[in-house]
Amino acid sequence: MPSTHKKKVLIVHAHPERTSVTYQLAEIASEVLQTQGHEVMQSDLYGMGWKAVFDEQDFPKRVNEDRLSFIDESGHAFANGCQTPDVEEEQRKILAADAVILLFPLWWYNMPAIMKGWVDRVWAFGLAYGYQGAGNAYRYGEGGFAGKRALLAVSVGGPAQDYSPRGINGPLEQLLFPITHGTLFFPGMQVLPTFAVYGTAGIDAEGMAQAALVWRSRVERLFDDAPIAFRPQNGGDYPDRHVLADHIAPHQSGLMVHIDQISEFPESEKNNALALTAILED
């Protein structure tokens, strides 16, 4: 049964065109969540004119005027309440949220620069990394965003087969690993399997309507679906907090070894992928 406990959700989306698949998915997510009684916060990065470049302007009160150290300046600004107002506002929203949904088109196998800049500026030292001044003691499953859920919704221009396990572009879950495992799981979020709409470069009204139906179902289960089983740093699989223990997935390496039960992927995502592939390739 879907969760009935009311939550706060932050929707962050990045596309300049209001008729885009990304923008439509953001509007659908907001409607579904509000219908469920959840409180929705939004960050429309293009609409906000978000400053994407992380630079010296982010530190109004510098620790060192001679050399810019992003770690030192970020840590000082966060700890002393002297960040820029736009960064403080986004941190306020994400800290208040029980879940975060990031929606974006796949541009050169990654998120658009404006969203990467949102992460670069908002993920401050002392919050998303260097948590509690303890270096890397609290990361990959623990940290400033622990207890929050995260979900990616990605609009992919090309066909699904290009992103299949042996597809020419590589599997989508591996292409997005730096985001799901790094950007989101690193500071403690529980990351749900990615939702993807393929073939968006030529999607028609019927295809969009079918994709919207599947997306509605995923959003409705935001607080019920099982997250990706990323291995936590402090759960025993990494004895030295750096390298996977020899007895864990022996003779295997690569990105996916850091997911428990590598051969298994959540059934909900398998079904979504099959449904959308059938819809968009008919």
Side-chain angles (χ1 to χ4, degrees):
M1 292 290 293
S3 174
T4 57
H5 186 63
K6 306 314 177 188
K7 307 279 189 178
K8 294 182 180 181
V9 182
L10 173 59
I11 297 174
V12 185
H13 54 105
H15 202 295
E17 173 53 51
R18 296 179 69 88
T19 64
S20 66
V21 172
T22 295
Y23 206 96
Q24 291 181 69
L25 293 179
E27 290 188 317
I28 291 167
S30 178
E31 181 224 319
V32 170
L33 291 166
Q34 289 184 73
T35 298
Q36 289 182 319
H38 300 307
E39 179 181 336
V40 175
M41 301 170 283
Q42 288 209 44
S43 293
D44 173 1
L45 299 182
Y46 279 97
M48 295 160 58
W50 180 260
K51 173 183 173 289
V53 178
F54 190 32
D55 57 19
E56 66 277 1
Q57 295 178 34
D58 284 282
F59 310 114
K61 298 180 181 180
R62 292 275 294 275
V63 173
N64 185 341
E65 293 290 346
D66 298 322
R67 182 181 183 278
L68 178 59
S69 166
F70 284 94
I71 291 177
D72 291 345
E73 299 296 348
S74 177
H76 174 264
F78 177 73
N80 292 280
C82 53
Q83 300 175 109
T84 58
D86 57 346
V87 167
E88 288 184 345
E89 174 61 11
E90 294 306 295
Q91 288 174 349
R92 182 197 66 77
K93 287 190 281 189
I94 197 169
L95 287 171
D98 297 293
V100 180
I101 303 177
L102 302 182
L103 305 100
F104 57 90
L106 192 70
W107 287 355
W108 288 109
Y109 310 106
N110 209 320
M111 58 175 58
I114 196 169
M115 181 170 280
K116 179 58 165 62
W118 181 80
V119 171
D120 287 345
R121 298 182 61 218
V122 175
W123 264 228
F125 185 86
L127 175 64
Y129 68 116
Y131 185 61
Q132 294 187 347
N136 287 327
Y138 303 104
R139 61 174 182 169
Y140 295 114
E142 300 180 46
F145 298 151
K148 302 179 187 298
R149 295 193 144 220
L151 171 63
L152 301 184
V154 183
S155 304
V156 183
Q161 61 263 37
D162 284 357
Y163 298 88
S164 61
R166 292 172 56 84
I168 191 168
N169 288 341
L172 186 65
E173 66 270 20
Q174 293 191 32
L175 294 174
L176 296 175
F177 191 88
I179 302 173
T180 55
H181 184 261
T183 301
L184 302 174
F185 185 63
F186 184 106
M189 293 187 185
Q190 296 298 302
V191 187
L192 300 178
T194 297
F195 176 86
V197 181
Y198 297 96
T200 58
I203 194 169
D204 58 16
E206 181 181 359
M208 186 64 222
Q210 294 296 324
L213 285 176
V214 183
W215 174 232
R216 284 179 178 275
S217 177
R218 282 299 306 275
V219 175
E220 287 171 352
R221 304 195 312 272
L222 178 62
F223 293 102
D224 300 289
D225 281 349
I228 301 170
F230 289 129
R231 300 182 187 276
Q233 172 183 274
N234 299 322
D237 288 353
Y238 304 89
D240 64 353
R241 293 181 176 168
H242 298 285
V243 179
L244 200 61
D246 291 341
H247 71 278
I248 303 292
H251 313 300
Q252 299 182 51
S253 61
L255 301 179
M256 306 309 284
V257 77
H258 300 291
I259 300 178
D260 195 10
Q261 300 176 339
I262 295 173
S263 62
E264 298 182 12
F265 211 62
E267 195 64 30
S268 62
E269 180 59 15
K270 291 180 184 177
N271 293 340
N272 288 340
L274 289 172
L276 284 175
T277 299
I279 290 166
L280 301 176
E281 292 183 357
D282 277 348

